Amino acid sequence: MCVTCGCSDDGEIKITNMETGEAEHNHHHTHTLPDGTIITHSHIHVEASQIHSEIHSTTISLEQDILAKNNLIAAQNRGWFKGRNILALNLMSSPGAGKTTLLTRTINDLKHQLSISVIEGDQETANDAKKIKETGCKVIQINTGTGCHLDASMIERGLQQLNPPLNSVVMIENVGNLVCPALFDLGENAKVVILSVTEGEDKPIKYPHIFRASNIMILTKIDLLPYVDFDVQKCIEYAKQINPQIQIFQVSATTGAGLENWYAWLTVSS
């Protein structure tokens, strides 16, 4: 396994255009360093007898190089979005928090007010992309294989196929994971972390980096509050403790409760 990005030796990235069904495969997961050096994954397997400090130093150096290259592409993506007046949002959460349900509800409710396109990220399957496509929204599926997050290069390639219109919104649904997605800038205007009331109110302090990096926290499935042991105020306090500037919406994509505030933010920001 790659110690920097979490992909394995057998990792494969696939980008699928949900309108045409055409898929672009990348069988060789590569990292391009700032000096142009390309590292193709023959991963380094370290023997136990090697000195720990050497391993640690090499890992940090490689991670810095990879993140530097990612940030360069992310800056290019950000310029691309700005030049087309596109609001790009990076939606992040653990698996099952309700990203896709919230996304489909948002698209259906706002389809006559906002032009929304979606880049859907999952390790495998196009199940969520199919649900989004049923709304009439244009969507591109990115399968990361064994990769645990989207990166700026994937978004750059996905945008070439998605080709979102000017003055629109691009929703990027990241791979379900509360760790790695926070590390990789995609060129988005804002990061949105989604947390459900079924997960536990201590998530912000257990996974602080993703909450610190996010502009918005959406607390979902609030219709289930009578049936779960979840302290909303404590969760909000934890989130504010990690990130005092984070903006919080409490919603239910099932009943529609609280969605008006989320929609108002979207409409004003786009």
Side-chain angles (χ1 to χ4, degrees), residues 85-263:
N85 193 31
I86 292 174
L87 174 68
L89 302 179
N90 181 2
L91 308 183
M92 307 174 295
S93 79
S94 59
K99 289 195 304 298
T100 306
T101 301
L102 176 63
L103 190 50
T104 54
R105 176 72 188 250
T106 299
I107 294 166
N108 279 322
D109 287 352
L110 298 182
K111 63 174 57 177
H112 299 301
Q113 298 172 244
L114 298 176
S115 175
I116 301 176
S117 304
V118 175
I119 294 177
E120 175 64 39
D122 276 306
Q123 287 192 321
E124 297 291 348
T125 83
N127 291 347
D128 289 346
K130 290 175 183 176
K131 294 176 185 176
I132 293 166
K133 187 173 183 292
E134 289 173 359
T135 68
C137 173
K138 190 172 183 181
V139 56
I140 293 294
Q141 175 72 56
I142 299 180
N143 291 122
T144 61
T146 52
C148 54
H149 61 88
L150 297 174
D151 64 28
S153 178
M154 296 177 196
I155 299 306
E156 179 185 40
R157 289 159 51 201
L159 288 170
Q160 293 172 6
Q161 292 195 34
L162 188 66
N163 192 25
L166 303 176
N167 310 311
S168 66
V169 178
V170 171
M171 300 281 199
I172 303 167
E173 184 174 354
N174 218 314
V175 178
N177 184 340
L178 283 178
V179 181
C180 300
L183 300 174
F184 285 79
D185 183 9
L186 306 180
E188 71 273 25
N189 297 94
K191 287 181 169 66
V192 180
V193 61
I194 296 170
L195 171 66
S196 75
V197 302
T198 59
E199 296 179 77
E201 65 270 0
D202 60 349
K203 281 294 186 292
I205 55 174
K206 291 179 74 172
Y207 300 91
H209 187 80
I210 199 164
F211 289 87
R212 188 176 296 115
S214 295
N215 309 84
I216 303 290
M217 182 181 93
I218 301 180
L219 186 61
T220 61
K221 305 184 184 181
I222 61 171
D223 54 300
L224 298 180
L225 281 171
Y227 314 105
V228 296
D229 183 14
F230 187 93
D231 190 326
V232 173
Q233 285 309 119
K234 187 172 288 187
C235 179
I236 292 174
E237 288 173 10
Y238 285 149
K240 291 287 188 178
Q241 175 184 323
I242 297 300
N243 181 355
Q245 279 74 50
I246 198 166
Q247 190 168 351
I248 299 171
F249 300 110
Q250 301 179 46
V251 308
S252 167
T254 301
T255 67
L259 288 176
E260 66 277 4
N261 296 324
W262 162 236
Y263 293 167

Side-chain angles (χ1 to χ4, degrees), residues 21-40:
E22 295 178 354
E24 171 190 336
H25 295 261
N26 181 359
H27 295 276
H28 302 288
H29 191 94
T30 62
H31 298 304
T32 305
L33 305 188
D35 62 359
T37 302
I38 296 177
I39 300 175
T40 302

